[in-house]
Structure formats: C-alpha cells, structure tokens
Amino acid sequence: MTPMTPAHERRTAIATGRMTLVLAVTCAVAVGNIYFPQAIIPLVAAGLHTSPESASLAVTATQIGYTAGMFLLVPLGDRLPHRPFLVTLLTLSGLGLIAAGCAPTLPLLIAASALIGLTTIAAQVVGPMAVGLVADDRRGAVIGTLLSGSIGGMLLARAFSGSLGEWLGWRVPYLAASALTLLLACLLARTLPATTPPSRQPYPALLAESLRLLRTEPDLRRSCFYQATVFGGFSAVWTCLVLLLTGPLYGTDARAVGLLALVGGMTMLCTPLAGRLVDRHGPDPVNLVSVLAVLVSAAVLAAGAWGGVPGMAALVVGTLLLDVAMQCGMVANSARVYALRPDARSRLNTAYMTCAYLGGSAGSWLGVRAYGRAGWWGVCALVALLALLAFARPYPQPRRRG
C-alpha cells in the first residue's frame, strides 16, 4: 500500500474533523428533542387547558418512547446501512415534532411525543458508527466530542425552548425543532459516507444478542455496572435538587435548578480531554478517577445542607464535579464497550445504555426516598454509597497504550 503524503493526511484529518462536527450536531439535535419539552410544560398546560401534571405526560411519553427505541431500534445499526437508517430516523422524528406542534388535544400530543422519543435515538446510532470510521487511537477523542454535542443539545434545548415558548407560544419550539431535524436529515443524506452493515442476522437475533453479550462479555458487564452506579447517583442528586432549592432552606423556585444546570456546560470542555486521556492511557485509569470524583462530589454536596451562600456555593461546585465525573466516566466506559466487538457495536451500545438508564431510574427512585427519610444528607450518603459500590468491581492495573 502506498503511504499517504503529508498533504493527503491533512486532507483526511480535515474531512474527519468535519464529519465528526456534523455527527456531534446530530447528537445535539437528537438529545435536545428529548429534553426541550420539559421547559414548556406549564405553557402546554395553559394552551391545552389542562393541569401541569397532565401535561407532563407528554414528557413521560417521550422518555418511554426513547427507552423503547434504544432497545428495539438501536440494534438495527448493526444490520442496516447507517446513512439511510439515520436519515429515516430523523425524518420520522421531524414528522413527529410537526404532529406534536399541531396537536389540538393532549392525547394526540402524548401519542406524537411517544413517536418522537421512539425515533430520536440518532445519538445512540451515531456513536457506534463514528468509532468505526476512525483509527483505534482516535476513538476516545471522537466519543468525547460526540458527548459534548449531546450535553450542549440538552442544555441549549431547555434554555431556548423556554424562551421561545414564552415569546411565541408552546407550539413554536416543536415546530422549530422539526425544521432543524428535517434540515439535518437532508444534510446527512448528502454528507454521510456509505457503510457496510457488519451483521446480517435477522432482527429477533439482534434483539437477543444484546442480552447474550451481557452474559458473555465481562468488560461489558463491568462498564454497565460502573455507569449504572455513577448515573444513579447523578440522577438522585438532580431529582432531589429541586426539592431542596424550593424547600424552606433556600426558598427559590424551579428556575434556580435550570440556572444551576447551566453550570454543567463546563463538561462540554472536559469530555474531549477525557477522550484524549482514554486514547493515551486506556479507559480504566479515567474510570477510576471519575468514580473518585463522584465520591468527593458527595462530600462537597453535603455542605449544601447548610443553606445560605456557603450552601449554594457547595451545590454549584458539587454538581459541576458530579457532572464532569459522570460524563468523563461515560467516555471511558463507551470506549471500552466499543472496543469489544467491532461487528456488534450497536448491540453492545444497546445493552450498555439500557443498563445505564436503568441505574439512573433506580437512582431517582432511591434518591426521593432517601430525601424523604433523611433529607439532603441522605441523598449525599446515597451518592457516596453508589460510588463505593463501583469500587467493589476490580480495577485492572493501569497500563500505557502505545
């Protein structure tokens, strides 16, 4: 094989960088479609003449649809060519957003929200595809960049949908998101390279394979356990934070939680760095530091029970540290998972992300109960306990990678 010239290498690097940027935007849009309805629930309730509790069913339907999409559709990333698969998903998601924005009644909005959740799984398809397009020593950096896009989409979607909804009504954020999603589908149809599916297994076998991989791949189980415990602590904190801030100790409103969440934007800068560290040192040292950071964040967050300015400062620092630790651990665990079976990355990702979200759901449930029994101290103790459980899994000796 003729070696590439420096000029050819530069052109290849530029093309790869542009493609990674497009895929990061894809992740941002897909993840944003999940989170932006949370900011406009009161507006939906007023517009459809229902209660906020009833209107929140639209958010629940989106989340249920997303979980179903991860299990039912993400494995098809190993069976179908990526370009038509992603374009189809984005097109269906865009049509679901149009239906939601035009829904005259709450039941129709809930049905459209379920379709949005089911099909806005592009970020989970993009990850396995992207690592297959780059060299092994670039996987961590690419995963970190894609995760930065997802974080940015989550934060910006909440901020802009709330402002846009207050200004022009609750339907406009849905219609704006649909225009952006359909435009992205057209862009991917023109720019994504053609790929060959790594598997020809029938669909039922693909679904069963995710469960089989959990049984046969120890490193997959290890990654699932690490991420489930850390994401569980993360979910417990953010579920109970609104209870703390709106309670008698601080006496703020729910908007304070949204402002505090914007602090997490710093993780957009940290995840690419974590990816480069994974490429250089492997995922295990990064995982170890991430879990240690979760343990430290639990101690810092506990000072939030003091109230006042010192308590708020502790909450800002603690949540930032927790966010960075969770996202950097996500980079490390994803890199470990994607390296296991190049022919089954989508199925591996299905098993991994399903376990992570189950851990997050369990963390939210346990966090509310810990807060009810022991207050904010109980939530912080739960985060520390989950971090200690992660240490129960053996960490291999760190080694440098060539």
Side-chain angles (χ1 to χ4, degrees):
M1 180 181 293
T2 304
M4 289 194 300
T5 64
H8 189 194
E9 289 180 351
R10 283 196 300 273
R11 287 194 297 270
T12 301
I14 292 172
T16 302
R18 288 175 177 171
M19 181 54 58
T20 302
L21 179 60
V22 171
L23 295 178
V25 172
T26 303
C27 292
V29 172
V31 171
N33 288 340
I34 304 169
Y35 287 99
F36 85 79
Q38 295 176 348
I40 57 173
I41 285 302
L43 303 175
V44 172
L48 295 180
H49 308 291
T50 186
S51 66
E53 291 77 13
S54 298
S56 66
L57 292 175
V59 174
T60 303
T62 304
Q63 294 170 339
I64 292 173
Y66 186 70
T67 304
M70 278 198 300
F71 183 74
L72 297 174
L73 299 182
V74 170
L76 288 172
D78 290 332
R79 179 69 172 77
L80 301 175
H82 289 114
R83 182 167 59 193
F85 186 37
L86 280 170
V87 170
T88 300
L89 287 173
L90 289 169
T91 301
L92 291 173
S93 185
L95 295 176
L97 288 162
I98 292 175
C102 298
T105 63
L106 182 61
L108 290 176
L109 175 61
I110 292 172
S113 298
L115 174 62
I116 294 167
L118 182 70
T119 55
T120 192
I121 55 166
Q124 306 306 328
V125 178
V126 161
M129 181 196 74
V131 298
L133 298 176
V134 298
D136 291 353
D137 60 355
R138 287 278 300 154
R139 283 179 186 159
V142 169
I143 293 170
T145 301
L146 297 180
L147 191 54
S148 291
S150 298
I151 297 167
M154 178 180 65
L155 297 176
L156 294 177
R158 284 172 171 164
F160 283 106
S161 67
S163 300
L164 199 60
E166 289 283 356
W167 183 31
L168 297 173
W170 70 268
R171 298 182 187 275
V172 174
Y174 280 102
L175 298 177
S178 71
L180 188 59
T181 302
L182 293 173
L183 181 63
L184 187 60
C186 295
L187 178 63
L188 293 185
R190 294 177 61 86
T191 59
L192 273 187
T195 57
T196 302
S199 174
R200 303 302 299 174
Q201 286 183 288
Y203 179 64
L206 289 174
L207 293 182
E209 181 79 356
S210 297
L211 299 176
R212 189 188 68 81
L213 288 168
L214 270 175
R215 189 179 70 251
T216 59
E217 295 288 349
D219 277 348
L220 174 60
R221 293 196 301 272
R222 187 156 60 96
S223 297
C224 290
F225 185 77
Y226 290 159
Q227 197 60 37
T229 52
V230 171
F231 193 47
F234 175 87
S235 299
V237 166
W238 283 102
T239 299
C240 298
L241 198 57
V242 66
L243 303 177
L244 176 68
L245 292 178
T246 58
L249 186 61
Y250 287 95
T252 64
D253 56 24
R255 286 177 297 180
V257 180
L259 293 175
L260 193 59
L262 290 177
V263 176
M266 288 291 294
T267 56
M268 295 177 63
L269 305 176
C270 298
T271 49
L273 174 61
R276 290 192 289 272
L277 291 175
V278 169
D279 289 333
R280 180 174 298 180
H281 302 291
D284 291 314
V286 177
N287 238 147
L288 177 60
V289 172
S290 297
V291 176
L292 284 171
V294 173
L295 197 58
V296 173
S297 74
V300 176
L301 285 167
W306 296 341
V309 174
M312 182 60 74
L315 292 178
V316 170
V317 175
T319 53
L320 176 59
L321 183 58
L322 180 63
D323 285 5
V324 170
M326 194 278 289
Q327 301 290 359
C328 291
M330 178 80 78
V331 173
N333 287 315
S334 297
R336 185 190 295 110
V337 168
Y338 290 149
L340 295 176
R341 288 268 307 273
D343 63 319
R345 286 189 175 120
S346 291
R347 285 161 284 174
L348 288 165
N349 194 45
T350 295
Y352 169 63
M353 292 303 298
T354 301
C355 289
Y357 270 82
L358 287 174
S361 300
S364 296
W365 186 84
L366 291 171
V368 171
R369 277 140 191 84
Y371 188 86
R373 289 179 176 270
W376 185 246
W377 296 102
V379 177
C380 297
L382 174 64
V383 175
L385 175 61
L386 291 172
L388 292 173
L389 285 177
F391 281 118
R393 300 285 299 184
Y395 279 80
Q397 182 69 25
R399 60 184 179 87
R400 293 188 64 87
R401 298 177 62 178

